[in-house]
């Protein structure tokens, strides 16, 4: 069974107990030793205990950093020349733009004078070319004006001809519009005639239906009144009277009188039936007349549609002929316009191009002269720039770190004349492993120690590429309130918070035991020691975090005893808490790099419980 790190006091007790057991074995007192062990096991073990505390444990790592200014520049001469004067020494404070030294400018001044002379000559050439261009432009304007006067009358005649032809085309377009309007009107009339024809067709159908209904009613009434029988009776009575009154026949007076009476009665009966059928007969005649009228109107509407179709066909033929006339007229107009343009435009274009050639030539001469002047101006600017190089000035505010020139020596671009550093803000750079890198963040506050003097700093940059020399990731931090103690290139100690664990139980580190890498603790329950397996997190010299397996209600045994076992009787003496609250930070000193956990991942946020952190050791019980 293994356990982590035992404090010195408890270690002495452990050594004494081990020595006593060893001496007993050496003297061969087997029975006495066995008896003593049983007696010891049966004794109540006095132990110290405390209640676990919930809180946060934060670990810190220490690294070696290098100090450098946030901004440092080398003032390098751009020319080789004699140093005429310099009044700057190492340690002097300078401001941006301040003169540092002067170099001999004789050669640069001669070069500037030569460039100025070349520019003056080129400028005179530009003026001469511009005058020539103005003359050529005036000649071109005069030529164009003369052409415009000559072509004005021709243009007027052309415009008149084209106007007349356009008026003819406009007239044809008006005729086309009229025909289209008439076609639209005919279409509308045809739709109206179709609607009227359809309405008349429906009315004709209804009128014929009325005729059928009137005929049916008339025949039904005639049957009901016995019209045919009455009419047959009347015809029979006429035949009987006619037979009796036949010349040469002497009728029986009584029979003749009876026949005449029957004729009179039959005629009365017939008249009576006809009077009854008269309204129905008149209704039948009216229905027949209405049917005849609607049929006639229907046929008239059909004839009207046919007449409209004939008129529309004639108008469409007329429209086709009108379009042909328009196309012919437009063709004549285009040919006439092209001919007129050929006659005038070609001559005018040739004359203008000829006149423009002189202007283009003059413009080319002006551009050439201006290019030459621009080149000469570049020579002046270059000479002035070269002249400015003979005075070295400070590019930034800062302190002179090095001076490599002196009067009457020659300054050279191969050697920096001055080194200036801006020390208002200093940078401390240090290297960390990949696991530690994952715990740091931009803006994190850290502490810088230079020979016991502490400075506050903030991480400003976290490297994303491994340094090939050290195998570490480079971290940059900013010290906003430096002083003279932070010398450029000096080494400092950097302390930064790395791993942390919140919402965990904090217990003394010595209270944890290990059985085949399984951490466990002893708690007191009803005067008996009970083993409890736990899951541990990060730890420092004094504390370790417990993530599970223990609660704040458990009585944790914090003292060590050789007889402490599962089920041993204990006498508990409660002690104070671990001595750290949830905001206190434990120190985790290393040699400048992180200490990886046995099961460390890429993030390395939680070291294993058996991790060595630079001060803890592992002992054998």
């Amino acid at each position: 069974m293994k356990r982590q790190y035992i404090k010195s006091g408890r270690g002495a007790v452990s050594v004494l107990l081990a020595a006593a057991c060893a001496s007993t074995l050496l003297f061969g007192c087997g029975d006495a030793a066995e008896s003593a062990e049983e007696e010891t096991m049966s004794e109540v073990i006095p132990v110290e205990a405390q209640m676990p505390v919930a809180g946060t444990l934060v670990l810190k790592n220490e690294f070696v950093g290098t100090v450098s200014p946030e901004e440092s520049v080398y003032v390098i001469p751009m020319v080789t020349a004699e140093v005429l004067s310099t009044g700057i020494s190492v340690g002097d404070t300078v401001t941006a733009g301040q003169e540092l030294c002067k170099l001999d400018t004789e050669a640069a001044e001669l070069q500037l004078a030569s460039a100025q002379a070349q520019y003056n000559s080129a400028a005179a050439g530009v003026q001469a070319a511009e005058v020539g261009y103005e003359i050529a432009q005036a000649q071109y304007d005069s030529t164009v004006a003369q052409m415009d006067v000559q072509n004005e009358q021709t243009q007027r005649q052309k415009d008149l001809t084209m106007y007349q032809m356009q008026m003819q085309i406009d007239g044809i377009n008006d005729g086309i519009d009229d025909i289209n309007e008439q076609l639209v009107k005919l279409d509308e009339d045809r739709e109206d005639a179709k609607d009227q024809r359809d309405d008349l067709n429906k009315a004709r159908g209804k009128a014929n239906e009325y005729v059928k209904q009137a005929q049916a009613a008339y025949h039904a009434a005639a049957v009901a009144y016995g019209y045919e029988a009455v009419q047959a009776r009347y015809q029979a009575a006429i035949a009987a009277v006619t037979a009796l009154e036949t010349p040469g026949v002497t009728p029986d007076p009584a029979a003749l009188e009876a026949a005449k009476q029957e004729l009179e009665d039959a005629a009365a009966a017939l008249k009576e039936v006809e009077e009854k059928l008269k309204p129905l007969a008149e209704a039948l005649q009216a229905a027949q007349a209405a049917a005849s009228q609607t049929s006639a109107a229907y046929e008239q509407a059909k004839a009207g549609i046919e007449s409209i179709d004939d008129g529309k066909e004639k108008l469409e033929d007329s429209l086709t002929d009108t379009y042909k006339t328009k196309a012919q007229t437009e063709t004549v107009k285009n040919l006439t316009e092209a001919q007129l343009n050929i006659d005038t435009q070609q001559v005018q274009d040739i004359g203008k191009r000829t006149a423009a050639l002189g202007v283009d030539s003059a413009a080319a001469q002006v551009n050439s002269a201006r290019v030459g002047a621009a080149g000469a101006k570049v020579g002046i600017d270059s000479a002035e720039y070269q002249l400015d190089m003979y005075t070295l000035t400070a590019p930034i505010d800062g302190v002179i770190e090095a001076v490599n020139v002196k009067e009457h020596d020659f300054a050279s671009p191969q050697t920096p004349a001055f080194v200036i550093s801006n020390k208002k803000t200093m940078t401390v750079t240090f290297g960390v492993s990949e696991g530690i890198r994952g715990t740091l963040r931009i803006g994190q506050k850290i502490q810088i120690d230079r020979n016991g003097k502490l400075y506050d700093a903030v991480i400003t940059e976290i490297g994303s590429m491994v340094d090939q020399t050290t195998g570490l990731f480079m971290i940059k931090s900013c010290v906003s309130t430096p002083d003279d103690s932070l010398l450029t290139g000096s080494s400092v100690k950097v302390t930064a918070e790395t791993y942390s664990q919140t919402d965990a139980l904090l217990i003394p580190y010595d209270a944890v035991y290990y059985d085949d890498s399984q951490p466990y603790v002893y708690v007191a329950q009803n005067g008996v020691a009970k083993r409890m397996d736990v899951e541990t997190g990060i730890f420092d010299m004094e504390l370790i975090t417990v993530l599970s397996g223990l609660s704040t209600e458990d009585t944790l045994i914090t003292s060590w005893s050789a007889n402490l076992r599962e089920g041993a009787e204990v006498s508990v003496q409660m002690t104070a808490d671990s001595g750290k609250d949830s905001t206190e930070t434990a120190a985790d000193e290393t040699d400048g790099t992180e200490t990886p956990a046995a099961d460390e991942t890429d993030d390395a946020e939680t070291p294993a419980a058996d991790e060595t952190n630079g001060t803890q050791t592992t002992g054998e019980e």
Side-chain angles (χ1 to χ4, degrees):
M1 181 173 61
K2 296 182 179 180
R3 62 185 300 279
Q4 293 268 359
Y5 182 69
I6 306 171
K7 289 187 177 180
S8 59
R10 296 171 188 164
V13 175
S14 175
V15 171
L16 292 175
L17 290 173
C21 291
S23 61
T24 303
L25 291 174
L26 289 174
F27 287 143
C29 299
D31 294 338
E34 183 176 359
S35 175
E37 183 177 0
E38 291 177 357
E39 182 180 357
T40 303
M41 290 296 292
S42 63
E43 292 179 352
V44 176
I45 304 171
V47 295
E48 296 179 356
Q50 67 179 48
M51 308 300 285
V53 179
T56 298
L57 183 62
V58 179
L59 303 184
K60 293 183 180 181
N61 282 70
E62 293 181 353
F63 314 92
V64 176
T66 303
V67 179
S68 63
E70 182 182 24
E71 185 178 19
S72 183
V73 296
Y74 293 86
V75 181
I76 301 175
M78 302 300 292
V79 294
T80 299
E82 181 184 358
V83 178
L84 298 181
S85 64
T86 178
I88 299 300
S89 302
V90 173
D92 289 350
T93 300
V94 296
T95 58
Q98 180 178 339
E99 181 179 309
L100 302 178
C101 76
K102 279 184 173 296
L103 305 179
D104 186 4
T105 61
E106 182 178 357
E109 290 173 351
L110 290 174
Q111 184 177 357
L112 176 59
S114 175
Q116 186 66 53
Q118 292 178 3
Y119 176 76
N120 293 338
S121 176
V126 171
Q127 292 179 353
E130 289 175 345
V131 171
Y133 174 78
E134 291 175 357
I135 294 173
Q137 184 65 48
Q139 291 175 350
Y140 172 78
D141 293 340
S142 176
T143 301
V144 171
Q146 290 176 3
M147 290 181 179
D148 290 342
V149 171
Q150 292 173 359
N151 292 328
E152 185 175 355
Q153 293 181 348
T154 303
Q155 184 64 38
R156 288 179 180 175
Q157 183 62 40
K158 183 182 74 172
D159 292 343
L160 178 60
T161 302
M162 299 309 299
Y163 175 75
Q164 291 172 346
M165 299 192 75
Q166 185 62 46
M167 289 295 294
Q168 185 178 356
I169 293 174
D170 291 342
I172 294 173
N173 287 332
D174 292 340
I176 291 173
D177 293 339
D178 292 340
I179 293 173
N180 286 326
E181 290 178 359
Q182 293 179 34
L183 287 173
V184 172
K185 183 64 170 60
L186 285 177
D187 287 337
E188 293 175 352
D189 293 343
R190 190 177 189 282
E191 290 298 321
D192 294 340
K194 284 177 61 180
D195 294 340
Q196 185 178 8
R197 181 196 64 185
D198 295 340
D199 293 340
L200 289 172
N201 190 35
K202 294 178 181 178
R204 186 181 64 168
K206 290 181 179 179
N208 290 331
E209 184 66 26
Y210 291 155
V211 170
K212 291 179 180 178
Q213 293 176 359
Q215 287 176 344
Y218 179 81
H219 289 304
V223 172
Y225 294 142
Y227 178 68
E228 290 183 357
V230 173
Q231 193 175 36
R233 177 187 172 187
Y234 176 71
Q235 293 296 332
I238 292 175
V241 171
T242 300
L244 291 174
E245 290 180 347
T246 301
V249 178
T250 303
D252 183 7
L256 180 62
E257 184 65 24
K260 289 182 177 180
Q261 184 62 44
E262 173 63 20
L263 178 61
E264 184 179 350
D265 291 341
L270 179 61
K271 184 178 181 181
E272 182 181 359
V273 171
E274 287 178 345
E275 286 295 328
K276 291 180 179 180
L277 292 176
K278 184 178 180 181
L280 295 175
E282 291 176 351
L284 177 59
Q285 291 175 354
Q288 290 173 341
S292 178
Q293 290 176 356
T294 53
S295 295
Y298 173 75
E299 294 299 330
Q300 186 177 1
K302 286 177 61 178
I305 292 174
E306 293 176 355
S307 176
I308 290 173
D309 290 339
D310 292 340
K312 182 178 179 182
E313 184 177 356
K314 292 178 181 180
L315 282 175
E316 289 174 344
D317 293 340
S318 177
L319 180 63
T320 302
D321 294 339
T322 304
Y323 273 117
K324 291 179 180 179
T325 302
K326 176 184 176 183
Q328 293 173 355
T329 304
E330 288 179 338
T331 301
V332 173
K333 174 178 176 290
N334 293 334
L335 291 173
T336 302
E337 184 177 14
Q339 185 63 41
L340 291 174
N341 287 335
I342 290 174
D343 293 342
T344 59
Q345 192 64 39
Q346 286 185 350
V347 176
Q348 187 176 12
D349 289 344
I350 292 173
K352 287 184 177 180
R353 283 199 297 268
T354 302
L357 289 175
V359 178
D360 293 341
S361 177
Q365 292 178 4
V366 171
N367 290 335
S368 177
R370 287 176 177 172
V371 169
K377 183 62 170 64
V378 170
I380 292 177
D381 295 339
S382 176
E384 290 176 344
Y385 177 71
Q386 291 287 335
L387 187 60
D388 290 339
M389 293 180 183
Y390 286 79
T391 300
L392 302 185
T393 59
I396 62 171
D397 295 344
V399 177
I400 300 295
E401 297 271 30
V403 177
N404 298 321
V405 295
K406 58 183 178 179
E407 292 184 8
H408 306 304
D409 281 351
F410 274 84
S412 171
Q414 283 73 34
T415 303
F418 302 91
V419 179
I420 304 175
S421 297
N422 183 352
K423 293 190 174 183
K424 292 183 178 179
T425 303
M426 299 296 284
T427 297
V428 174
T429 304
F430 58 97
V432 301
S433 64
E434 184 176 359
I436 292 292
R437 177 186 178 276
T439 69
L440 303 178
R441 66 185 186 281
I442 300 295
Q444 178 178 338
K445 293 182 179 180
I446 61 175
Q447 193 174 65
I448 308 299
D449 185 347
R450 169 63 174 164
N451 295 332
K453 190 170 184 178
L454 302 180
Y455 303 87
D456 291 330
V458 175
I459 294 177
T460 58
E461 181 180 329
I462 297 177
S464 59
M465 183 175 66
V466 174
D467 184 273
Q468 297 301 320
T469 303
T470 63
L472 302 175
F473 291 88
M474 304 313 295
I475 310 297
K476 288 186 177 181
S477 61
C478 174
V479 182
S480 58
T481 57
D483 55 23
D484 294 339
S485 298
L486 289 179
L487 301 177
T488 302
S490 61
S491 296
V492 294
K493 182 172 69 175
V494 180
T495 303
E497 294 180 359
T498 52
Y499 300 105
S500 65
Q501 220 156 46
T502 60
D503 299 330
L505 294 183
L506 304 181
I507 66 173
Y509 178 78
D510 294 341
V512 181
Y513 302 85
Y514 291 88
D515 183 2
D516 291 335
S517 300
Q518 171 60 54
Y520 66 92
V521 297
Y522 285 110
V523 298
Q525 292 183 355
N526 300 322
V528 176
K530 180 180 180 182
R531 168 177 167 167
M532 297 184 70
D533 290 346
V534 294
E535 178 187 0
T536 59
I538 64 175
F539 59 91
D540 62 11
M541 293 289 292
E542 297 180 4
L543 299 179
I544 187 169
T545 60
V546 176
L547 306 181
S548 64
L550 194 66
S551 73
T552 56
E553 304 299 325
D554 293 319
T555 303
L556 175 68
I557 297 175
T558 59
S559 61
W560 179 85
S561 172
N563 298 322
L564 187 60
R565 297 289 187 276
E566 171 79 16
E569 295 184 6
V570 294
S571 173
V572 178
Q573 180 180 355
M574 297 301 293
T575 63
D577 290 341
S578 62
K580 293 195 173 185
D581 58 28
S582 61
T583 61
E584 189 171 356
T585 302
D588 175 20
E589 298 181 356
T590 67
D591 57 356
T593 62
E594 66 170 334
T595 303
D599 58 348
E600 180 181 1
T601 64
D602 289 343
D603 291 337
E605 291 184 353
T606 306
D610 60 346
E611 177 183 4
T612 301
N613 66 358
T615 59
Q616 295 171 323
T617 61
T618 302
E620 187 79 25
E621 180 179 88

